[in-house]
């Protein structure tokens, strides 16, 4: 019978097979497990070991997961640690498989507590356990059984003081399996003894909290520790709450959460109770905010590290991050085609350069605001590091007034003003406050004047940091164009940018080469020309290698960024009729997900069946006419050939857009329609499925859910504005002021 303290090598072959099936088929699920397990230094796998695991797929019966688990077992990894890693991954099916293998183990959930009591006080010791049915209890005093003490509670009558403290322990058994509680000491003192004057003796009726939790302000990656201590008779038990919701597994006097992220902030309290009474601790606020780095250098010189991996003058970054936004489906302006293809192309190339990329399509004003706020908050922490190059790419309608550039959200009205748009220079100023190492803005939009907006924005002075690069798709007071070829055509800017993006060149040299190439295009000559603005003083390049900071900072950074990229695990649904349906998931962008259903097992008496998605949340942007399609090309995505390569055949596909709009977990219905042989009518079965918050939905980009960074210019804005004084934020090219005069022209 397995115990959580046992090593991984104790797992049976059937359990190993199920874990391998889940993690091998989960799209790098085993790699994610290796990353999470590596938070503990002794379990961290080297690049060579991970490569060895990945090569197992070339063997007839090879499994990367089995190879990884073997490596962890050799380092004495326990079943409990593996379960914790799977829980951190959010891999519910794997957690269930592992838990089912250990479910018959007796586990003490409430331990007896040592007590000091006065003579004449009744003492109650409690031991609760979970495990197989028919658990039996037996209390011992020292090595002697206590007669009749065969329940979870032991009641003692301390009529007179004892000569020596007595030690008690409880044995919980079921058949041949058993487990012992920890020892509890009972000391009886007279009312005049020194010990009774200490205030510890619980002669009162009920419970008393001796130590209250304290409010705290932490940075992401820190360890949260809250403590609530109480005395009482019977001994107290504890349950911690966050925002009035109980925390699973938080049932000890001390609550400890390592590597906190913004998801852990909120109001905490502790419920203290015993068999007869209940008290609550005070409610305290826990703020999880930015970590401000005080190191002077924004980049690290290559004088540390191994000699074989460093070269003289080599610059390193702690991380590389990018936020890509493409707006296409405007409600009151000309709709565009290129931003989707451009964002996808840049995402692919930047990931090859080890950038952590969040790519978003079609954001309204509030969503753009929250996306940038979250981006700034992540930069504020070791999550994206003070020593990190940060790249912001925007494709969509835009304009420029008084030297400031503005990005237009998809819900901007036909005659939009400064209150409806986002100022790029304000974003830059906020980035500078986070001490980012390299600020790159690639703006693929028009730069015409907005005659509706004559307010000069009061941005404030920018710092002299010598690390700013602006790459404009067109020059001042000019338009940007997209080619009118097919749905997979890039815009002019990205068409030439992607030719050079992977080159090991200083970013300004790279953009100069893009400008030279753009100048060779006859169709845009005299209409569109790339403009470069930069104060970059050193050779910063997109190809600079990454040298991570300390382990805790790196782990917190990876954990927080990974939130926006976690797909639900593929799963199998079994219906009463015997049909098994597979649910699979693919990401097109950080806020667009593909779901496919596939019938993988059918009983012989069923002639025909298909599984469809229904009851999709209304807040998502889903065209119901394009759901449950038999081919990827029918779901309305020009990029279907890219994400459908790994999808199995004979599926029904649905495309869910706007995941950032989700307010709750994504819940939908899988409707199975089948027909028995010899019958004409179809029978229907339904199963509700919850897949949590996938991809960008985990970051809660809704205005009410994600607080802005402290002192952010975006955090104090009244409704309907972006925080500009006097409503000075604007974003409207002259030609966009009426629907018939578009802002991004087609050639």
């Amino acid at each position: 019978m397995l115990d959580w303290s046992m090593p991984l090598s104790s797992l049976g072959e059937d359990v190993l097979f199920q874990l391998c099936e889940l993690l091998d088929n989960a799209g790098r699920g085993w790699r994610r497990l290796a990353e999470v397990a590596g938070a503990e230094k002794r379990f961290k796998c080297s690049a060579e070991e991970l490569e060895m695991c990945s090569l197992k797929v070339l063997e007839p019966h090879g499994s990367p997961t089995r190879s990884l688990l073997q490596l962890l077992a050799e380092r004495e990894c326990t079943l409990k640690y593996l379960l914790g890693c799977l829980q951190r991954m959010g891999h519910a099916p794997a957690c269930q498989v592992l838990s089912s293998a250990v479910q018959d183990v007796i586990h003490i959930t409430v331990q007896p507590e040592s007590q000091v009591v006065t003579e004449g006080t009744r003492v109650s010791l409690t031991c609760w356990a979970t495990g197989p049915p028919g658990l039996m209890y037996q209390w011992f005093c020292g090595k002697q059984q206590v007669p009749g003490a065969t329940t979870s509670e032991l009641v003692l009558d301390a009529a007179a003081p004892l000569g020596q403290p007595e030690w008690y322990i409880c044995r919980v058994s079921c058949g041949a399996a058993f487990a012992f509680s920890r020892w509890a000491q009972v000391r009886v003192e007279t009312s005049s003894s020194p010990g009774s004057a200490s205030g510890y003796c619980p002669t009162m009726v009920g419970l008393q909290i001796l130590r209250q939790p304290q409010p705290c302000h932490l940075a992401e990656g820190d360890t949260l520790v809250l403590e609530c201590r109480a005395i009482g008779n019977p001994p107290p038990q504890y349950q911690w709450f966050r925002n009035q919701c109980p925390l699973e597994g938080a049932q000890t006097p001390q609550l400890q959460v390592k590597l906190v992220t913004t998801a852990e902030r909120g109001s905490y309290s502790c419920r203290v109770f015993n068999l007869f009474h209940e008290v609550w601790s005070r409610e305290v606020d826990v703020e999880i905010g930015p970590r401000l780095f005080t190191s002077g250098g924004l980049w690290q010189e290559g004088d540390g590290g191994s000699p074989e991996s460093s070269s003289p003058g080599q610059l390193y970054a702690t991380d590389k991050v990018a936020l890509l936004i493409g707006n296409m489906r405007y409600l009151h302006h000309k709709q565009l085609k290129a931003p989707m293809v451009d964002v996808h192309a840049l995402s692919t190339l930047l990931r090859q350069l080890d950038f952590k990329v969040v790519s978003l399509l079609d954001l309204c004003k509030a969503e753009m605001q929250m996306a940038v706020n979250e981006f700034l908050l992540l930069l504020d922490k070791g999550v994206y590091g003070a020593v990190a190059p940060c790249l912001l790419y925007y494709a969509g309608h835009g304009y420029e007034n008084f030297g400031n550039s503005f990005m237009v959200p998809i819900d901007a009205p036909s005659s939009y003003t400064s209150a409806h748009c986002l100022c790029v220079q304000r974003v830059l100023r906020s980035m500078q406050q986070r001490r980012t190492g390299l600020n790159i803005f690639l703006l693929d939009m028009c730069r015409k004047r907005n005659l509706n907006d004559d307010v000069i924005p009061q941005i404030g002075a920018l710092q002299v940091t010598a690390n700013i690069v602006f790459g404009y798709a067109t020059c001042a007071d000019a338009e940007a164009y997209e080619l009118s070829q097919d749905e997979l055509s890039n815009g002019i800017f990205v068409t030439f940018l992607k030719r050079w993006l992977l080159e090991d060149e200083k970013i300004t040299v790279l953009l100069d080469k893009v400008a030279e190439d753009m100048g060779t295009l006859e169709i845009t000559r005299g209409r569109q020309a790339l403009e470069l603005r930069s104060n970059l003083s050193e050779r910063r390049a997109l190809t600079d290698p990454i040298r991570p900071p300390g382990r805790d900072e790196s782990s917190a950074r990876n954990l927080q960024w990974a939130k926006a990229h976690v797909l639900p695990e593929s799963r199998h649904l079994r219906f009463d009729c015997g049909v098994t349906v597979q649910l699979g998931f693919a990401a097109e962008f950080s806020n667009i997900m593909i779901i496919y259903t596939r019938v993988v097992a059918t009983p012989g008496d069923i002639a025909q069946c298909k599984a469809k998605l229904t009851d999709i949340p209304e807040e998502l942007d889903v065209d119901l006419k394009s759901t449950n399609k038999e081919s990827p090309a029918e779901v309305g995505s020009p990029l279907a050939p890219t994400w459908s390569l790994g999808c199995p055949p004979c599926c029904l596909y649905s495309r869910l857009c706007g995941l950032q709009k989700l307010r709750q977990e994504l819940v939908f219905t899988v409707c199975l329609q089948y027909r028995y042989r010899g019958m004409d009518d179809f029978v229907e079965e339904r199963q509700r499925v919850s897949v949590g918050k996938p991809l960008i939905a985990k970051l809660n980009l809704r205005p009410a859910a994600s607080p802005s960074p402290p002192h952010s210019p975006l955090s104090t804005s009244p409704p309907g504005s972006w925080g500009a004084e006097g409503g000075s934020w604007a974003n409207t090219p002259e030609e966009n002021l009426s629907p018939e005069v578009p802002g991004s022209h087609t050639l």
Side-chain angles (χ1 to χ4, degrees):
M1 186 174 293
L2 294 180
D3 180 83
W4 286 115
S5 61
M6 296 177 69
L8 293 188
S9 56
S10 61
L11 283 175
E13 183 60 32
D14 56 338
V15 179
L16 276 175
F17 178 79
Q18 293 180 66
L19 289 176
C20 293
E21 187 178 43
L22 288 170
L23 295 172
D24 285 344
N25 297 332
R28 295 171 62 90
W30 66 273
R31 287 189 180 273
R32 177 67 180 137
L33 174 60
E35 180 184 345
V36 175
E40 185 73 29
K41 187 175 182 180
R42 63 192 176 111
F43 298 133
K44 186 172 181 62
C45 296
S46 65
E48 292 77 11
E49 290 171 327
L50 294 178
E51 181 69 17
M52 179 190 70
C53 293
S54 66
L55 292 177
K56 292 294 181 181
V57 299
L58 302 178
E59 301 177 7
H61 303 289
S63 165
T65 302
R66 183 183 293 269
S67 181
L68 173 63
L69 293 179
Q70 183 177 354
L71 290 172
L72 296 178
E74 292 172 355
R75 298 166 192 185
E76 300 180 353
C77 179
T78 63
L79 298 177
K80 182 178 180 180
Y81 188 80
L82 176 60
L83 179 65
C85 293
L86 294 173
Q87 289 172 340
R88 292 288 295 274
M89 292 169 59
H91 201 311
C95 290
Q96 184 177 357
V97 167
L98 187 59
S99 298
S100 64
V102 198
Q103 65 181 356
D104 289 336
V105 173
I106 299 173
H107 179 60
I108 307 284
T109 57
V110 176
Q111 298 280 0
E113 298 283 347
S114 297
Q115 300 184 52
V116 180
V117 298
T118 57
E119 55 182 317
T121 303
R122 300 188 69 186
V123 181
S124 175
L125 299 177
T126 304
C127 174
W128 289 350
T130 60
L135 292 180
M136 301 178 63
Y137 295 83
Q138 177 61 59
W139 288 89
F140 292 79
C141 181
K143 296 182 179 180
Q144 302 297 319
Q145 289 189 8
V146 178
T150 56
T151 64
S152 60
E153 183 180 18
L154 173 64
V155 179
L156 303 171
D157 188 1
L162 303 173
Q164 294 292 333
E166 296 287 352
W167 292 88
Y168 292 87
I169 195 171
C170 183
R171 182 186 67 196
V172 185
S173 61
C174 180
F178 61 89
F180 279 96
S181 72
R182 67 188 179 198
W183 288 96
Q185 183 192 62
V186 177
R187 187 169 77 241
V188 181
E189 298 180 346
T190 62
S191 58
S192 59
S193 65
S196 64
S198 65
Y200 177 76
C201 179
T203 58
M204 79 295 293
V205 176
L207 294 172
Q208 179 181 354
I209 294 180
L210 300 179
R211 180 176 297 175
Q212 294 279 2
Q214 301 297 319
C216 55
H217 191 293
L218 305 174
E220 290 180 296
D222 290 344
T223 297
L224 168 64
V225 179
L226 297 175
E227 191 170 12
C228 176
R229 297 283 179 178
I231 58 172
N233 189 11
Q237 300 172 53
Y238 302 85
Q239 174 61 61
W240 287 92
F241 287 74
R242 182 178 70 237
N243 299 332
Q244 290 79 50
C245 296
L247 294 172
E248 184 178 354
Q251 291 147 352
T252 59
Q254 187 180 81
L255 173 67
Q256 186 176 97
V257 182
K258 295 183 178 180
L259 296 176
V260 294
T261 67
T262 54
E264 277 78 42
R265 58 184 157 197
S267 296
Y268 286 76
S269 59
C270 185
R271 172 178 172 253
V272 185
F273 61 98
N274 58 21
L275 293 176
F276 309 110
H277 299 91
E278 174 186 273
V279 292
W280 285 78
S281 74
R282 68 183 180 186
E283 194 170 59
V284 297
D285 291 331
V286 173
E287 295 293 335
I288 312 294
R291 178 190 298 279
L292 298 178
F293 287 82
T294 57
S295 57
L298 298 182
W299 288 65
Q300 297 174 345
E301 293 289 347
D303 53 359
S306 58
E308 64 271 16
S309 61
S310 301
S311 59
Q314 175 67 62
L315 293 171
Y316 293 87
T318 57
D319 214 336
K320 298 191 283 190
V321 300
L323 173 63
L324 313 183
I325 299 176
N327 285 342
M328 303 168 50
R329 299 190 301 167
Y330 283 87
L331 302 180
H332 307 291
H333 303 279
K334 178 187 177 182
Q335 298 198 2
L336 307 175
K337 294 181 180 180
M340 172 190 287
V341 187
D342 291 344
V343 168
H344 184 268
L346 288 184
S347 298
T348 302
L349 294 173
L350 289 172
R351 289 191 180 103
Q352 293 181 44
L353 297 173
D354 295 325
F355 270 80
K356 290 181 171 68
V357 180
V358 167
S359 55
L360 302 169
L361 288 188
D362 294 326
L363 302 184
C364 67
K365 183 193 75 172
E367 292 162 358
M368 285 185 71
Q369 175 179 355
M370 297 311 300
V372 172
N373 278 359
E374 189 71 20
F375 187 63
L376 294 175
L377 180 62
L378 297 176
L379 292 174
D380 217 3
K381 149 95 197 112
V383 183
Y384 299 114
V387 195
C390 306
L391 186 149
L392 174 63
Y393 171 79
Y394 170 75
H397 289 309
Y399 78 100
E400 184 171 300
N401 269 17
F402 307 104
N404 294 299
S405 304
F406 299 88
M407 301 178 288
V408 182
I410 63 169
D411 61 344
S414 56
S415 297
Y416 47 83
T417 64
S418 58
H420 305 111
C421 307
L422 180 60
C423 178
V424 175
Q425 279 68 26
R426 288 188 183 273
V427 178
L428 170 60
R429 191 165 184 268
S430 298
M431 280 180 162
Q432 288 187 330
Q433 294 173 356
R434 275 82 183 163
R435 301 187 180 183
T436 47
L438 173 60
N439 301 310
I440 305 171
F441 293 85
L442 301 178
L443 303 178
D444 197 353
M445 64 183 200
C446 294
R447 297 174 65 193
K448 299 285 287 185
R449 283 286 309 276
N450 173 17
L451 299 182
N452 264 14
D453 183 16
D454 57 0
V455 177
I456 301 177
Q458 303 299 316
I459 305 295
L462 294 173
Q463 301 174 21
V464 180
T465 56
N467 65 350
I468 303 171
V469 177
F470 276 91
Y472 295 95
T474 190
C475 51
D477 204 29
E479 298 162 346
Y481 295 87
E482 57 181 16
L483 296 171
S484 180
Q485 293 180 351
D486 55 57
E487 289 185 319
L488 292 177
S489 295
N490 289 112
I492 302 292
F493 181 36
V494 174
T495 296
F496 294 97
L497 177 63
K498 65 183 185 180
R499 297 180 184 178
W500 294 98
L501 199 65
L502 299 181
E503 295 295 318
D504 184 17
E505 295 278 7
K506 182 179 178 180
I507 181 62
T508 51
V509 174
L510 185 150
L511 290 174
D512 276 335
K513 292 183 177 181
V514 176
E516 292 175 8
D517 273 5
M518 285 182 60
T520 64
L521 189 64
E522 283 289 339
I523 196 171
T524 57
R525 186 168 296 172
R527 300 183 181 182
Q528 177 178 350
L530 184 148
E531 181 175 331
L532 172 63
R533 294 184 183 179
S534 171
N535 64 4
L536 190 59
S537 60
E538 296 185 14
R539 190 192 183 281
R540 317 292 195 191
L542 300 180
T543 55
D544 286 336
I546 294 176
R547 175 172 291 172
R551 179 178 62 83
D552 287 349
E553 294 175 2
S554 180
S555 298
R557 176 179 65 250
N558 292 334
L559 174 64
Q560 181 73 358
W561 192 263
K563 283 185 176 183
H565 298 86
V566 177
L567 275 170
E569 299 290 349
S570 177
R571 62 189 67 186
H572 290 80
L573 307 178
R574 291 171 175 81
F575 290 82
D576 293 340
C577 63
V579 171
T580 300
V581 174
Q582 179 188 8
L583 271 181
F585 307 88
E588 190 174 72
F589 293 93
S590 299
N591 63 338
I592 298 180
M593 182 172 70
I594 310 298
I595 303 179
Y596 65 82
T597 58
R598 180 169 71 114
V599 176
V600 294
T602 308
D605 56 347
I606 293 181
Q608 183 181 358
C609 64
K610 55 185 175 181
K612 297 183 176 182
L613 296 190
T614 61
D615 303 329
I616 299 172
E618 294 182 356
E619 63 256 42
L620 296 182
D621 298 330
V622 180
D623 183 359
L624 296 180
K625 296 179 181 178
S626 299
T627 58
N628 301 303
K629 295 300 181 181
E630 295 183 356
S631 71
E634 296 179 84
V635 299
S637 170
L639 299 174
T642 61
W643 54 257
S644 62
L645 293 176
C647 296
C650 303
C651 299
L652 294 182
Y653 298 91
S654 300
R655 183 170 182 257
L656 278 57
C657 304
L659 294 177
Q660 74 278 0
K661 302 176 187 295
L662 274 177
R663 298 185 175 276
Q664 304 293 333
E665 293 187 348
L666 176 57
V667 180
F668 53 84
T669 300
V670 177
C671 177
L672 177 68
Q673 297 175 332
Y674 59 94
R675 179 177 60 83
Y676 287 104
R677 298 187 185 279
M679 299 182 63
D680 295 331
D681 296 333
F682 277 83
V683 183
E684 187 174 282
E685 287 186 36
R686 292 172 172 259
Q687 281 195 33
R688 293 286 284 172
V689 177
S690 174
V691 296
K693 288 188 173 182
L695 300 176
I696 198 68
K698 283 188 173 64
L699 292 186
N700 297 320
L701 297 189
R702 304 180 311 279
S706 252
S708 300
H711 310 299
S712 167
L714 309 182
S715 62
T716 56
S717 309
S721 80
W722 283 79
E725 297 178 8
S728 60
W729 289 42
N731 214 346
T732 327
E734 175 185 353
E735 63 277 317
N736 275 352
L737 300 182
S738 62
E740 60 272 13
V741 187
S744 185
H745 290 250
T746 301
L747 296 177

